[in-house]
Structure formats: C-alpha cells, structure tokens
C-alpha cells in the first residue's frame, strides 16, 4: 500500500513539476481521442467498454465492442499513441539521450494493436462462456460472482496493456514481446498495480458521468448546442486527458521501479557469488 501511495504521489509531483509541458503537449494531443471516447460512450448510452476506462460486468456486447474500437482506432493510433510517446520521451531514464517521438511511434502502434487483439479475444471468450453456460439465467449471486471474476480478468488485461505501451517505449521491444515484459512487471508489482488502477478507473468513471450530466443531459434538454456546453465539454475532455497523462506517468514509474529492483537483486546475487568464491578460496588457502 505504501509503495502504491508513493507512486501516486510521485506521479502527481512529476505532472505538476512539468505541468507546462504536459498541458501544452500530451494533453493537447489527447484532446481528439478524449472527446471521441466521451462522446461515443455517452451517445451510445452503454457502459464503458474501452480498456482505459471502466469494464461492465457480463454485459459486453461483441458488436458494440467492435464498433467502439473501429470508431476510436484512428484517434488511438494518432492522438493517443503520439501523446504517450511524448510522455515516455520526457520521462526516459537517459535524459541526455532521449529518444525522438517518431522513433517511439512504430513500437507503440504495434503494441497497441496487439493489446487490442488480445482484449477482443477476451471479450469474445467471455461472451462465448456466457452463452454456453447461460450465466444471465443463473441466480443473482452467481451472476455477481462471475461478473467479479470477469472484471478482475479484464482489469488485469487493462493494466498489462497500459504497461506494455510504456515498456515498448522505454525498452527495445514491441508487440507481444512488450506485452510479455509488461506481464513480468505486473507480476513483480501485482498489488501495487491493482491499487493504482482502482483510483484511476474511478477517476475515468467520474469524468464520464460528469460529461454525461453536464453536456449530454443539457443537450437533450435544450435540443441544441450552445457556447457554454461546448466550453464545458472541452474542459471535461482536458480533465480526461490529464488523467490519461497521470496514468501513463504512473506506469512509467512502475516500470522504472521494477527495473531498479531487478538491478539491485542482480547486484546482491553477484555480491553473494563473489563472497562465496572468496570464502572458498580462503578455505583452500
């Protein structure tokens, strides 16, 4: 719990320290993606199915998921990926040799597409299991338990997908190799990653609800868009973008923490090996 709280505090510190950079680069880049996600999810009047936000329980309509990804894919491959690349570039461990955003674009796109294919496979599998066993006709408690299991599986997939994008930008890998490394990172910081995902997801839910209430509801009541409605929608999209930036920063810090712990473990093993060798040499002498 302490490590998760420390990562959150450090993420907020990093965001506020370079706030002028993040608000003028990644946040602006993310605005088209954020606006498209908020508009689609509000207008479709369904629960969110995008991996960055909340996951519905046993209510994943496959055609709806496919349509959502088709709509959001152009914005994700341009707005989202470029914004994440700029964040990773700014937080790269070798400050004197920061990679160019253009060099990070291809591995991030490849990894994002792999994340998408795996997430869709999970959605197909969940729908298949639901139809086979008729979960919707079971008792409410059974449906709730099955929903919790599905939620945990998809939440873990979401965490690994977000970490994989960061790993693809920070390490020399992409696609399924980056996903495998992200899985290793999550295994090394399992509880911390889950604790970090909870407030982030709650933040996305709150912002979506705010957009639904302040923009979509106001539009349905007045049947026309006015200047104040557009400004509010723009400000809420900025809030959504800032939360994506904060989530990406947190993922970068998790990956750095994992790599630092791994280096320290290797150093300790090497010291023990050398000490053992010296002890054996002393015994021989």
């Amino acid at each position: 719990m302490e490590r998760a709280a420390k990562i959150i505090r450090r993420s907020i510190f990093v965001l506020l320290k370079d706030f002028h950079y993040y608000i003028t680069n990644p946040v602006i880049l993310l605005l088209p993606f954020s606006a498209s996600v908020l508009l689609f999810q509000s207008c479709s009047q369904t629960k969110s199915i995008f991996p960055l936000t909340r996951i519905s329980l046993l209510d994943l309509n496959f055609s709806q998921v496919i349509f959502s990804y088709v709509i959001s894919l152009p914005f994700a491959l341009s707005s989202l990926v470029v914004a994440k690349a700029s964040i990773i570039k700014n937080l790269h461990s070798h400050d004197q040799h920061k990679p160019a955003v253009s060099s990070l674009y291809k591995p991030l796109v490849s990894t994002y597409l792999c994340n998408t294919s795996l997430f869709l496979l999970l959605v197909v599998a969940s729908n298949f299991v639901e139809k086979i066993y008729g979960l919707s006709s079971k008792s409410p408690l059974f449906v709730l338990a099955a929903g919790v299991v599905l939620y945990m599986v998809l939440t873990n997939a979401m965490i690994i997908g977000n970490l994989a994008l960061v790993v693809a930008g920070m390490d020399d890998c992409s696609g399924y190799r980056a996903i495998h490394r992200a899985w290793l990172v999550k295994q090394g910081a399992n509880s911390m990653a889950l604790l970090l995902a909870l407030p982030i997801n709650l933040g996305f839910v709150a912002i979506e609800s705010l957009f639904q209430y302040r923009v979509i509801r106001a539009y349905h009541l007045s049947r026309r868009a006015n200047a104040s409605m557009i400004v509010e929608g723009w400000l809420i999209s900025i809030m959504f973008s800032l939360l994506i930036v904060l989530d990406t920063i947190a993922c970068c810090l998790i990956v750095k923490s994992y790599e630092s712990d791994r280096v320290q473990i290797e150093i300790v093993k090497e010291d023990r090996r050398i000490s053992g060798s010296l002890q054996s040499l002393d015994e021989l002498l």
Side-chain angles (χ1 to χ4, degrees), residues 76-77 81-82 84-85 88 92 99-116 161-179:
L77 296 182
V81 170
V82 174
K84 282 185 174 286
I88 294 169
H92 201 271
V101 172
S102 57
S103 66
L104 299 179
Y105 181 77
K106 186 175 179 180
L108 261 65
V109 166
S110 173
T111 305
Y112 182 85
L113 292 175
C114 292
N115 285 338
T116 299
N162 287 339
L163 288 172
L165 289 174
V166 171
V167 170
M170 297 182 71
D171 297 338
D172 187 19
C173 64
S174 62
Y176 293 109
R177 188 180 172 195
I179 294 174

Side-chain angles (χ1 to χ4, degrees), residues 78-133:
S78 55
S79 173
L80 178 66
V81 170
V82 174
K84 282 185 174 286
S86 65
I87 296 169
I88 294 169
K89 168 185 173 294
N90 194 57
L91 291 173
H92 201 271
S93 56
H94 304 293
D95 293 336
Q96 68 274 22
H97 298 105
K98 289 184 178 181
V101 172
S102 57
S103 66
L104 299 179
Y105 181 77
K106 186 175 179 180
L108 261 65
V109 166
S110 173
T111 305
Y112 182 85
L113 292 175
C114 292
N115 285 338
T116 299
S117 62
L118 290 177
F119 185 80
L120 291 178
L121 284 174
L122 285 175
V123 173
V124 172
S126 66
N127 276 264
F128 181 74
V129 171
E130 182 179 359
K131 291 182 186 300
I132 290 289
Y133 293 100

